[in-house]
């Protein structure tokens, strides 16, 4: 019968900490940060490094710090101000996008940019400069962050905006949490009159049809495609192009229901193999019987189809999954995508979730932002040590050769030389890194170990 | 409006204040007027968010001005009709009358008082040093008794009101790992039982809340914390209990049978257990 409040002593023993990909798993101490002024107090006296962490939804090791300290921000989720005329919302950095939506949707506002899960924090969305299905019109998340406060381990606090401390503003957007601790941020929300999305699904057969639809749908706010990467021959690069706009027909802005399903166990390693994925893909492709369908769809399944099943990452078993997401610029986008999808099909490893999208040319204010005009493809691979890593390395090299780059938030495998080729501006970020803060990702791809 | 420090607008004692507001019926619907003592505690904050969404008026008291300001801002944004705050150390029992009078003045009445402050304390230190033990008893027992004496008399004069107080399952039986905390909460629970017995016939409800372990940020990443109660669900249960004028609340409810068993373990066995 423990008391109402947990023991005031923090857990001394490091505990295994998983990222969303469940690979790698590292021991780390958890230092929860409840209040805006807790940092750097909470990290006083530590010498083995610290990393601000939100929901841990990054797939690889950018949200991990082996044998270090994780500054978990999820209870810093207070709303500080909201202006219903401008849509400007100021909130503490640990609030999740889902919590923002729970508040904002009933008032007729929506996120300016939304990723494929609502279980990420505001701070994490800034640190990874996330993108969404509207990148071609809205740019990245960072484009809509008007200001934030950055706290450094020396206790200094900086207001960062395009005009105040613009260097720290740029380094922190997409800065992987390394520049300091974001205590709060202001985000510009966009008005909506309905929860519903005017949805359209279009089957495509091959990359050229995908590119045609992309060109014809520039005026649609949200576009994304699912691609069947298990098929070869005449079905190679077939998929479903999904388009959506916020419905302009006013409708009740009721709150979202709570998710009910939790994936209950670690699936056995053989659950996701080439056969099951091929089967799933064929069913998924033909689920849409007609070549074109139109529907009115709630925003939840449109944006967050996987959030309905909490802990879906267990589907990949205990070994976890490896994500691979590239952005290849337009001049090589078609060729690169065909070559990489071909290499994947040839490998016999099937990606269960393959997402294809065209990035637009709205520039991000972030120094290290991942998106660039061209095509992005995201693939999930169950980890089979002998097969997955060599394939991943081949794909990363191909990406490099096509002038593209990989997404640090989704990565657990790129090499230091690959990273440094993808992001030559990493040395600039290194100059803005807080001396106390580092991540396993950063140490891996820069060799820059903490010297304290 | 935010009031800082110990200077409050009015020094009128709450009992005197009550007389001027007699006849005003308490509202336990949407527009509750709620005084929250210890408003920056995790459970209190989660409870206040629900009340804020319902459009309640809130007066918040806590020790730390920065934390209080963040909580107050959040509740305003979430829809509270009115939020006012005072920074105060509730260990200062002499300051209670002025603090409560100011709060009730600011709210223009009070339907619910929610006492959520308390400390776990350092059991090991308290075993060696009476001053540490006395401090735990003061914060968790003496100070609430002072506040509740004033607040109960205010409510009795109005023949209305709910006094919702967070005690703990730890008060149901002392155990070696935290019997100072436990005994302070046991004293509080007994006091609340007696107070209820006195004021119920005056139309005043005394709600004793006994939470089990609750998942807050501090426990959220601990091993086994997945089994802890969700703070938002705990908060919703408390809000419902206030509306329904419940007397005793174990939250989550499973703690009621668990504590029934623990209370009834004979001492010859209990003293050998490592609890």
């Amino acid at each position: 019968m423990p008391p109402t409040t947990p023991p005031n002593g923090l857990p001394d023993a490091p505990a295994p900490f998983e990222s969303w990909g469940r690979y790698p798993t590292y021991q780390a101490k958890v230092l929860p940060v409840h209040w805006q002024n807790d940092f750097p107090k909470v990290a006083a006296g530590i010498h083995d490094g610290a990393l601000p962490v939100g929901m841990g939804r990054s797939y690889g090791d950018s949200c991990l710090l082996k044998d270090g300290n994780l500054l978990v921000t999820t209870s810093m989720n207070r709303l500080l101000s909201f202006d219903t005329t401008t849509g400007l919302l100021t909130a503490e950095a640990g609030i999740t996008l889902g919590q923002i939506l729970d508040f904002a949707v009933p008032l007729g506002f929506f996120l300016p940019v939304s990723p494929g899960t609502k279980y990420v924090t505001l701070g994490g969305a800034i640190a990874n400069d996330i993108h969404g299905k509207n990148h071609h019109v809205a740019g990245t998340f960072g484009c809509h962050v008007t200001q934030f406060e950055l706290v450094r381990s020396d206790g200094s606090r900086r207001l960062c905006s395009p005009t105040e401390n613009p260097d720290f503003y740029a380094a922190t957007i997409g800065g992987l949490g390394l520049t300091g601790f974001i205590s709060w941020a202001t985000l510009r929300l966009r008005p909506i009159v309905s929860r519903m999305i005017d949805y359209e699904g279009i089957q495509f057969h091959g990359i050229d049809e995908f590119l045609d639809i992309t060109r014809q749908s520039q005026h649609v706010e949200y576009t994304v495609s699912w691609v069947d990467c298990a098929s070869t021959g005449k079905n190679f690069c077939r998929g479903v192009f999904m388009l959506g706009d916020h419905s302009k027909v006013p409708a009740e802005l009721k709150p979202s229901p709570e998710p009910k399903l939790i994936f209950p166990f670690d699936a056995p390693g053989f659950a996701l193999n080439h056969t099951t994925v091929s089967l799933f893909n064929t069913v998924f492709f033909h689920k849409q019987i007609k070549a074109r369908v139109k529907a009115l769809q709630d925003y939840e399944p449109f944006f967050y189809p996987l959030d309905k099943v909490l802990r879906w990452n267990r589907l990949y078993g205990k070994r976890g999954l490896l994500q691979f997401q590239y952005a290849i610029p337009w001049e090589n986008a078609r060729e690169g995508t065909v070559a990489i999808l071909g290499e994947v099909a040839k490998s016999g490893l099937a990606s269960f979730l393959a997402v294809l999208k065209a990035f637009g040319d709205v520039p991000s204010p972030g120094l290290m932002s991942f998106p660039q005009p061209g095509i992005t493809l995201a693939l999930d691979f169950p980890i089979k040590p002998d097969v997955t890593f060599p394939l991943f390395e081949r794909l990363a090299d191909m990406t490099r050769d096509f002038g593209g780059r990989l997404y640090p938030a989704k990565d657990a495998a790129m090499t230091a030389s690959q990273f440094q080729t993808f992001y030559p501006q990493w040395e600039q970020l290194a100059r803005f890194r807080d001396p106390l803060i580092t991540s396993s990702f950063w140490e891996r791809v820069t060799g820059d170990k903490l010297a304290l | 409006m935010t009031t800082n420090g110990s200077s409050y607008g009015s020094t009128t004692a709450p009992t005197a204040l009550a007389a001027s507001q007699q006849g005003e019926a308490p509202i336990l619907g949407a527009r509750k007027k709620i005084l929250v003592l210890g408003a920056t505690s995790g459970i209190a904050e989660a409870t206040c968010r629900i009340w804020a969404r319902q459009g309640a008026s809130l007066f918040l008291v806590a020790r730390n001005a920065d934390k209080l300001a963040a909580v107050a801002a959040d509740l305003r944004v979430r829809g509270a009709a009115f939020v006012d705050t005072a920074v105060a150390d509730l260990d200062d029992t002499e300051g209670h009358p002025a603090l409560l009078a100011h709060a009730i003045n600011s709210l223009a009445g009070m339907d619910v008082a929610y006492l959520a402050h308390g400390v776990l304390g350092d059991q090991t230190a308290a075993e060696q040093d009476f001053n540490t033990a006395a401090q735990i008893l003061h914060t968790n027992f003496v100070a609430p008794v002072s506040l509740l004496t004033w607040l109960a008399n205010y409510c009795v004069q109005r023949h209305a009101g709910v006094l919702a107080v967070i005690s703990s399952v730890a008060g149901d039986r002392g155990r070696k790992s935290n019997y100072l905390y436990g005994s302070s909460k046991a004293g509080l629970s007994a006091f609340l039982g007696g107070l209820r017995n006195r004021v119920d016939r005056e139309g005043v409800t005394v709600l004793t809340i006994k939470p089990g372990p609750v998942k807050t940020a501090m426990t959220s990443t601990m091993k086994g914390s997945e089994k802890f109660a969700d703070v938002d669900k705990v908060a919703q249960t408390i809000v419902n209990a206030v509306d329904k004028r419940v007397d005793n609340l174990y939250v989550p409810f499973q703690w009621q049978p668990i504590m029934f068993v623990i209370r009834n373990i004979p001492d010859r066995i209990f003293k050998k257990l490592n609890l």
Side-chain angles (χ1 to χ4, degrees), chain B residues 26-58:
Chain B
I27 309 157
L28 279 188
R31 303 271 169 202
K32 287 188 272 274
K33 295 171 179 175
I34 303 169
L35 166 63
V36 185
L37 298 147
T40 54
S41 92
I43 296 177
E45 189 181 5
T47 314
C48 289
R49 283 185 181 180
I50 298 171
W51 281 326
R53 279 200 297 276
Q54 293 176 349
S57 293
L58 296 157

Side-chain angles (χ1 to χ4, degrees), chain B residues 15 145 148-157 163 190-206:
Chain B
T15 42
V145 167
L148 287 162
T149 302
W150 291 109
L151 290 167
N153 291 341
Y154 167 81
C155 291
V156 164
Q157 288 212 8
L163 304 172
F191 176 82
L192 293 170
L195 184 67
R196 176 182 306 116
N197 191 224
R198 177 193 136 205
V199 300
D200 181 69
R201 62 206 68 189
E202 308 288 345
V204 181
T205 300
V206 176

Side-chain angles (χ1 to χ4, degrees), chain A residues 419-438:
Chain A
F419 171 77
Q420 292 173 22
T421 311
F422 296 148
Y423 296 95
Q425 65 275 45
W426 76 273
E427 287 176 300
Q428 251 174 295
L429 175 63
R431 285 198 289 278
F432 285 97
R433 187 173 67 73
D434 186 290
L436 183 71
I437 295 176
T438 187

Side-chain angles (χ1 to χ4, degrees), chain B:
Chain B
M1 189 196 86
T2 302
T3 310
N4 285 320
S6 54
S7 101
Y8 304 111
S10 163
T11 50
T12 323
T15 42
L17 206 128
S20 66
Q21 295 185 349
Q22 263 180 6
E24 183 191 299
I27 309 157
L28 279 188
R31 303 271 169 202
K32 287 188 272 274
K33 295 171 179 175
I34 303 169
L35 166 63
V36 185
L37 298 147
T40 54
S41 92
I43 296 177
E45 189 181 5
T47 314
C48 289
R49 283 185 181 180
I50 298 171
W51 281 326
R53 279 200 297 276
Q54 293 176 349
S57 293
L58 296 157
F59 191 98
L60 314 176
V61 181
R63 268 182 309 184
N64 183 298
D66 290 338
K67 296 177 182 179
L68 190 55
V71 172
D74 180 70
L75 299 176
R76 286 190 190 101
V77 176
R78 286 178 198 275
F82 169 83
V83 181
D84 194 3
T85 63
V87 176
D89 182 352
L90 293 172
D91 281 351
D92 171 23
T93 51
E94 282 186 24
H96 286 175
L99 172 69
L100 296 176
H102 169 65
I104 292 168
N105 255 335
S106 177
L107 284 171
M110 185 196 82
D111 305 311
V112 180
Y114 183 34
L115 272 71
H117 71 286
V119 290
L120 183 66
D122 184 337
Q123 169 70 25
T124 317
E127 286 168 13
Q128 307 302 321
D129 171 28
F130 169 70
N131 289 328
T132 306
Q135 188 55 50
I136 296 171
L137 295 174
H138 183 84
T139 303
N140 290 351
F141 179 65
V142 176
V145 167
S146 163
L147 291 164
L148 287 162
T149 302
W150 291 109
L151 290 167
N153 291 341
Y154 167 81
C155 291
V156 164
Q157 288 212 8
R158 299 176 85 208
H159 303 288
V162 179
L163 304 172
V165 185
I166 296 189
S167 184
S168 172
V169 292
D172 279 15
R173 190 160 193 183
R175 58 199 176 99
K176 72 174 187 180
S177 59
N178 72 346
Y179 63 83
L180 255 307
Y181 176 83
S183 57
S184 66
K185 290 296 193 181
L188 180 59
S189 294
F191 176 82
L192 293 170
L195 184 67
R196 176 182 306 116
N197 191 224
R198 177 193 136 205
V199 300
D200 181 69
R201 62 206 68 189
E202 308 288 345
V204 181
T205 300
V206 176
L207 166 58
T208 307
I209 302 159
K210 293 180 180 175
V214 175
K215 187 160 49 177
T216 60
M218 203 171 282
T219 59
S220 62
T221 45
M222 284 180 185
K223 228 178 173 167
S225 71
E226 288 192 348
K227 297 186 193 84
F228 287 11
D230 179 76
V231 71
D232 294 324
K233 292 198 175 109
V234 167
Q236 187 63 57
T237 309
I238 292 172
V239 167
N240 295 345
V242 167
D243 285 345
K244 290 181 192 149
R245 295 177 167 275
V246 170
D247 293 323
N248 284 289
L249 178 68
Y250 283 89
V251 57
F253 68 91
Q254 292 91 330
W255 283 94
Q256 182 152 13
I258 293 170
M259 294 318 299
F260 177 81
V261 170
I262 287 178
R263 277 198 310 273
N264 287 289
I265 298 171
D267 267 317
R268 71 190 144 75
I269 297 167
F270 194 78
K271 66 190 181 184
K272 293 192 167 60
L273 300 176
N274 264 325
L275 283 170

Side-chain angles (χ1 to χ4, degrees), chain A residues 188-199:
Chain A
R188 190 188 304 276
L189 302 181
R190 55 153 308 175
I192 52 168
V193 296
S194 164
R195 289 177 58 91
M196 306 308 280
I197 300 288
D198 282 322
Y199 168 80

